[in-house]
Amino acid sequence: MSDHGKWTVVDGGVSAARGFSSAGVEARIRYRDRPDLGIIRCSERAAVAGVFTKNRFASPTIQHDREQIERSGGYARAVVVNAGNANAATGASGLEDARAMTDATAAGLGIPAEEALVSSTGVIGEPLPMDPVRAGIDDAVATLNDGGNDDFSRCIMTTDTARKEHAVELTVNGEPVRIGGCCKGSGMIAPNMATMLAFVTTDAAIGPTLLQQMLRRAAARTFNRISVDGDESTNDTVLLMASGLSQPVETHTEAARQFEEALEEVCRELAKKIARDGEGATRLIEVHVTGAKDEADAERAAAAVAESSLVKTAVYGEDANWGRIACALGYSGSEFAQENVAIGIGDVRLVEGGVRVEYSEEDATAQLKIDPVRISVDLGAGAGEATFWSCDLTEGYIEENASYRS
Amino acid sequence: MSDHGKWTVVDGGVSAARGFSSAGVEARIRYRDRPDLGIIRCSERAAVAGVFTKNRFASPTIQHDREQIERSGGYARAVVVNAGNANAATGASGLEDARAMTDATAAGLGIPAEEALVSSTGVIGEPLPMDPVRAGIDDAVATLNDGGNDDFSRCIMTTDTARKEHAVELTVNGEPVRIGGCCKGSGMIAPNMATMLAFVTTDAAIGPTLLQQMLRRAAARTFNRISVDGDESTNDTVLLMASGLSQPVETHTEAARQFEEALEEVCRELAKKIARDGEGATRLIEVHVTGAKDEADAERAAAAVAESSLVKTAVYGEDANWGRIACALGYSGSEFAQENVAIGIGDVRLVEGGVRVEYSEEDATAQLKIDPVRISVDLGAGAGEATFWSCDLTEGYIEENASYRS
């Protein structure tokens, strides 16, 4: 445990909160010698919230999850996930396969059919191989355990180079409440793979409506503020389940404020892990914009800088080329006057009043060797503020994504 | 000369039309052993039209050109251009330097001060070295000649690997009219360099108002439909000058229709040369979208596919990974239903009704070996149509842009 002031970081990822068990098994959907199918189970009927991709080629799993949540009135007891096949651009048969996955999971666990959700990640446009999927579900049901987070967080990986988990414990009304989760994502689409998936659990007692509001706000400032290559996938999903086994959290209370802050922290740490593990990346880039007209304008400016191929390659090359940062700000759509702009990298201020100030090129370059690389911008146009994360762009990205699917 | 039906392709680039001479000299602004400063001169007081970057960090040259065109009432006799230094993010002194460049050019040529325009391309944020610039202007004034297009088109290059010119001759009212031009651009920003610049000339007699309308429409469908890395530079400029030495072209006439079609063709050929010469690129990518709700929606969809890092790396890797195309269409913001979408690469149809059809992977891969790579999409949502050009994304892009400025 390490102390972060308002909460402590704890182990256990998606199983850290009371009531949750998980499993990850080798179903051989596409991969060999590694888990590629998993289940998260809640012992209770958990309130559930979801944020999904807006991609018009959204996987049928997205439509199915939305329908399940509506049918159950905002509750779920399990999520089944597979890697290797995104079940996207698969039409009516893809929707049938998504249903078959949740039906098999619900049957195996003895829960109502509408209380199981599903996520898929992998190649787009190919039918799911349902025989190994069904066998994998049986296997996962049989191996669910309280410490299963290792296997589960591993089973959702595609080109990820590391498992991604984070969990915290905070105190609500004098009692411990836990929030934990795991995620995957490495390109917004890995080679032929589609998806950023995140699963967050808590033992707080929160109703579906408040839970959804909190998740939407947290996702907007975390998962929606990262980019590897700017491609929004067909399967992006964030699910949050609340078992209700610890303290109640009601709307407009101090407990809600504290809980939401901790939830945002868990989502932010998970999101940053995705950006840092971007395909071929060597460093996390953190762009912090202040002085924007409003928060949306700050996000626009920070995103343009973080997503610029020229900024990303300059970071990789350890070149403090602030002209590329200025250029990206200029086309971001954010409102400002160039003569009010300040730009810094790490501790070195490079630009004030829209023009270069005296600085040592050596000092600036040194800031680019530090991970994360911190780019700061003040637009001098208001009080809006936002942070956006991405990674450097390297030959490794090209190599991973130019390779054949086979 | 080769016959293209409505017009014939001719030599001479920016000097092809009657009344225009040009020069390119070695001013050593940043480069050695190659021309880096040039002038285009018109013997007449030419009507002029301009389309400029919308980047908020626009170079002072942009502001200066706008003011010059307003002062002269839409006429110009010369353009002076330098490569190596973009004169962007340079504040008040940058504006003074831009003025000094046009003043020196006007003085050298004996023309009114407001009838000279200026463009710059190169590193952002550093002051222009005005001594070599002034000496270069004197040198260029002294060497202006009718066949100077070779030197001029070379002097505007930065990381470009080839000179980019195109010129045509059409028949208006039974008499020959010529339109020709040249451009530069290789990344939207080359290593530390900023800019796509294009200079087009004609001997048609057209007033500034009609000329501006025609250039705006042509640029929207050509220069604004190419991308290398998605970074809109601080200096992007397209200038069109009409000497008036051949046939008159009036609004709402058959001549105007013919002229505009040929102008769009010249701009399109120049724009395609930029996309094909993208930094590190090995192939031109042409994305043609039909069946969109309207032309703007078609452009949105085509741009998303053409700009997707994952589509660009798949082309480089010769992988007919249409899932990445579907994914980009899905997040483009274009309106359609996935079950109505068809996707093809070259002559091979891969997707109909939003799902994969039977095709040979070998045939599809073969289409990716052909330059240009033609990606076709039918959204099944209307009559809108648009084409967008980009290039593949390779290790060469990373290498060029990760290198230090020094």
Side-chain angles (χ1 to χ4, degrees):
Chain A
M1 280 203 192
S2 70
D3 188 357
H4 279 245
K6 295 160 189 169
W7 49 74
T8 49
V9 175
V10 297
D11 290 334
V14 82
S15 306
R18 276 174 281 180
F20 293 95
S21 53
S22 59
V25 301
E26 194 179 315
R28 302 197 167 197
I29 292 163
R30 190 177 189 93
Y31 300 115
R32 293 288 175 273
D33 304 321
R34 43 157 298 190
D36 57 357
L37 187 140
I39 292 178
I40 303 170
R41 163 89 197 263
C42 185
S43 58
E44 316 300 309
R45 192 168 177 255
V48 68
V51 175
F52 303 98
T53 185
K54 290 178 177 152
N55 195 305
R56 278 181 187 258
F57 259 99
S59 160
T61 61
I62 304 290
Q63 181 190 336
H64 181 53
D65 279 356
R66 287 187 188 283
E67 288 170 4
Q68 291 285 85
I69 291 172
E70 200 180 319
R71 274 188 210 108
S72 67
Y75 292 88
R77 289 183 203 246
V79 189
V80 57
V81 190
N82 75 280
N85 185 313
N87 189 17
T90 45
S93 69
L95 187 57
E96 273 169 41
D97 290 343
R99 282 184 188 137
M101 280 183 76
T102 56
D103 284 352
T105 303
L109 295 173
I111 61 174
E114 70 273 21
E115 293 186 4
L117 302 172
V118 59
S119 289
S120 296
T121 175
V123 64
I124 296 175
E126 289 181 16
L128 261 179
M130 287 304 289
D131 284 347
V133 166
R134 283 177 210 277
I137 289 172
D138 291 345
D139 199 4
V141 165
T143 55
L144 280 166
N145 69 93
D146 291 356
N149 61 298
D150 272 33
D151 291 335
F152 182 82
S153 56
R154 194 171 287 121
C155 87
I156 58 177
M157 290 165 62
T158 53
T159 55
D160 302 60
T161 65
R163 299 194 299 122
K164 301 174 178 69
E165 297 185 325
H166 195 70
V168 302
E169 182 174 296
L170 66 156
T171 305
V172 172
N173 306 328
E175 298 292 329
V177 166
R178 288 187 164 196
I179 308 172
C182 69
C183 63
K184 68 123 330 199
S186 175
M188 290 299 266
I189 301 185
N192 320 294
M193 303 302 152
T195 315
M196 189 225 80
L197 300 180
F199 306 98
V200 183
T201 59
T202 181
D203 43 30
I206 312 183
T209 306
L210 179 57
L211 205 65
Q212 181 67 36
Q213 290 166 359
M214 285 177 164
L215 182 64
R216 189 163 293 286
R217 284 192 291 256
R221 290 185 167 178
T222 58
F223 295 113
N224 284 341
R225 288 199 180 157
I226 55 169
S227 172
V228 170
D229 48 25
D231 283 67
E232 182 192 4
S233 104
T234 54
N235 290 49
D236 290 345
T237 296
V238 184
L239 289 174
L240 169 59
M241 295 169 80
S243 71
L245 291 173
S246 66
Q247 289 295 301
V249 173
E250 308 284 354
T251 313
H252 302 309
T253 57
E254 174 62 16
R257 202 194 56 71
Q258 284 172 359
F259 180 88
E260 186 164 340
E261 202 177 345
L263 174 65
E264 190 176 313
E265 168 71 6
V266 170
C267 292
R268 184 181 300 111
E269 287 304 309
L270 291 174
K272 283 163 69 175
K273 285 175 200 279
I274 293 175
R276 190 188 292 275
D277 196 23
E279 287 162 353
T282 67
R283 261 159 303 174
L284 178 69
I285 300 174
E286 180 173 293
V287 181
H288 184 54
V289 171
T290 54
K293 203 187 54 163
D294 53 30
E295 186 178 345
D297 230 36
E299 182 174 347
R300 212 168 277 135
V305 174
E307 294 185 329
S308 160
S309 292
L310 290 164
V311 171
K312 289 155 67 81
T313 47
V315 168
Y316 175 52
E318 297 176 0
D319 177 12
N321 191 343
W322 62 264
R324 296 182 180 176
I325 298 170
C327 180
L329 293 171
Y331 65 70
S332 67
S334 184
E335 287 181 34
F336 64 87
Q338 50 171 295
E339 61 269 26
N340 298 330
V341 173
I343 299 173
I345 299 181
D347 299 330
V348 179
R349 180 64 69 98
L350 307 174
V351 172
E352 275 173 21
V355 296
R356 183 191 168 119
V357 293
E358 281 306 310
Y359 64 88
S360 135
E361 198 70 44
E362 207 177 328
D363 289 352
T365 302
Q367 298 295 320
L368 291 168
K369 297 180 192 293
I370 299 168
D371 186 12
V373 169
R374 291 177 295 113
I375 296 174
S376 57
V377 171
D378 192 307
L379 293 175
E385 190 170 339
T387 305
F388 203 100
W389 294 271
S390 66
C391 56
D392 56 346
L393 177 59
T394 76
E395 291 91 350
Y397 180 86
I398 312 292
E399 281 155 25
E400 268 195 64
N401 286 296
S403 63
Y404 288 77
R405 276 164 297 174
S406 55
Chain B
M1 279 204 194
S2 69
D3 189 358
H4 279 243
K6 295 162 188 170
W7 49 73
T8 49
V9 175
V10 297
D11 290 333
V14 82
S15 306
R18 275 175 281 181
F20 293 94
S21 53
S22 59
V25 302
E26 194 179 315
R28 303 197 165 196
I29 292 162
R30 191 177 188 90
Y31 300 115
R32 293 286 174 273
D33 305 320
R34 42 159 296 194
D36 57 357
L37 187 140
I39 292 178
I40 302 171
R41 163 88 197 262
C42 185
S43 59
E44 316 300 309
R45 192 168 177 255
V48 67
V51 174
F52 303 99
T53 184
K54 288 177 179 154
N55 194 305
R56 278 181 187 259
F57 259 99
S59 162
T61 61
I62 305 289
Q63 180 190 337
H64 182 52
D65 279 355
R66 287 189 189 282
E67 288 170 4
Q68 291 286 84
I69 290 173
E70 201 181 318
R71 274 188 209 110
S72 67
Y75 292 88
R77 288 184 205 245
V79 189
V80 57
V81 190
N82 75 279
N85 185 313
N87 190 17
T90 46
S93 68
L95 187 57
E96 274 170 40
D97 289 344
R99 280 182 190 139
M101 280 183 76
T102 57
D103 284 351
T105 303
L109 295 173
I111 62 174
E114 70 273 18
E115 293 187 3
L117 301 172
V118 59
S119 288
S120 296
T121 175
V123 64
I124 296 176
E126 289 181 16
L128 260 179
M130 287 304 289
D131 285 346
V133 166
R134 282 177 210 277
I137 289 172
D138 291 345
D139 198 6
V141 165
T143 54
L144 280 165
N145 68 91
D146 290 356
N149 61 299
D150 272 32
D151 291 336
F152 183 82
S153 56
R154 194 172 287 121
C155 86
I156 58 178
M157 290 165 63
T158 53
T159 54
D160 302 58
T161 65
R163 298 195 298 121
K164 300 173 179 70
E165 297 185 324
H166 195 69
V168 303
E169 182 173 297
L170 66 157
T171 304
V172 172
N173 306 328
E175 298 293 327
V177 166
R178 286 186 164 197
I179 308 172
C182 69
C183 64
K184 69 121 331 197
S186 176
M188 289 297 266
I189 301 185
N192 320 294
M193 304 301 152
T195 316
M196 189 226 83
L197 300 179
F199 306 97
V200 183
T201 60
T202 180
D203 43 31
I206 311 183
T209 306
L210 178 57
L211 204 65
Q212 182 67 35
Q213 290 167 357
M214 286 178 163
L215 182 63
R216 190 162 293 285
R217 285 193 291 257
R221 289 185 167 178
T222 58
F223 294 113
N224 285 341
R225 287 196 180 160
I226 55 170
S227 172
V228 170
D229 48 25
D231 282 68
E232 183 192 2
S233 104
T234 55
N235 290 48
D236 291 345
T237 297
V238 184
L239 289 174
L240 168 59
M241 295 169 80
S243 71
L245 291 173
S246 68
Q247 288 296 302
V249 173
E250 308 283 355
T251 313
H252 302 308
T253 58
E254 176 60 17
R257 203 194 55 70
Q258 285 173 357
F259 180 88
E260 187 165 341
E261 202 177 345
L263 174 65
E264 190 176 314
E265 168 71 7
V266 169
C267 292
R268 183 181 301 111
E269 286 304 309
L270 291 175
K272 283 163 69 174
K273 284 176 200 279
I274 292 174
R276 189 187 293 275
D277 196 23
E279 289 163 350
T282 68
R283 261 159 302 174
L284 179 69
I285 300 175
E286 181 172 292
V287 181
H288 184 55
V289 170
T290 53
K293 201 189 56 163
D294 52 30
E295 186 179 344
D297 231 35
E299 182 174 346
R300 214 168 274 135
V305 174
E307 294 185 331
S308 160
S309 291
L310 290 164
V311 171
K312 288 156 68 81
T313 46
V315 168
Y316 175 52
E318 296 176 1
D319 176 12
N321 191 343
W322 63 263
R324 295 181 179 178
I325 298 171
C327 179
L329 293 171
Y331 65 71
S332 68
S334 185
E335 287 180 35
F336 64 87
Q338 50 172 295
E339 62 268 27
N340 297 330
V341 172
I343 299 173
I345 299 181
D347 298 331
V348 179
R349 181 63 69 101
L350 308 173
V351 172
E352 274 173 22
V355 295
R356 183 188 169 119
V357 294
E358 281 305 310
Y359 64 87
S360 135
E361 198 69 44
E362 206 177 330
D363 289 351
T365 303
Q367 298 294 320
L368 290 169
K369 297 179 192 292
I370 299 169
D371 186 13
V373 169
R374 290 178 295 112
I375 296 174
S376 57
V377 171
D378 192 307
L379 294 176
E385 190 170 339
T387 304
F388 202 101
W389 295 270
S390 67
C391 55
D392 56 346
L393 177 58
T394 75
E395 291 92 350
Y397 180 86
I398 312 291
E399 281 155 26
E400 266 194 67
N401 286 297
S403 63
Y404 288 78
R405 276 164 298 173
S406 55

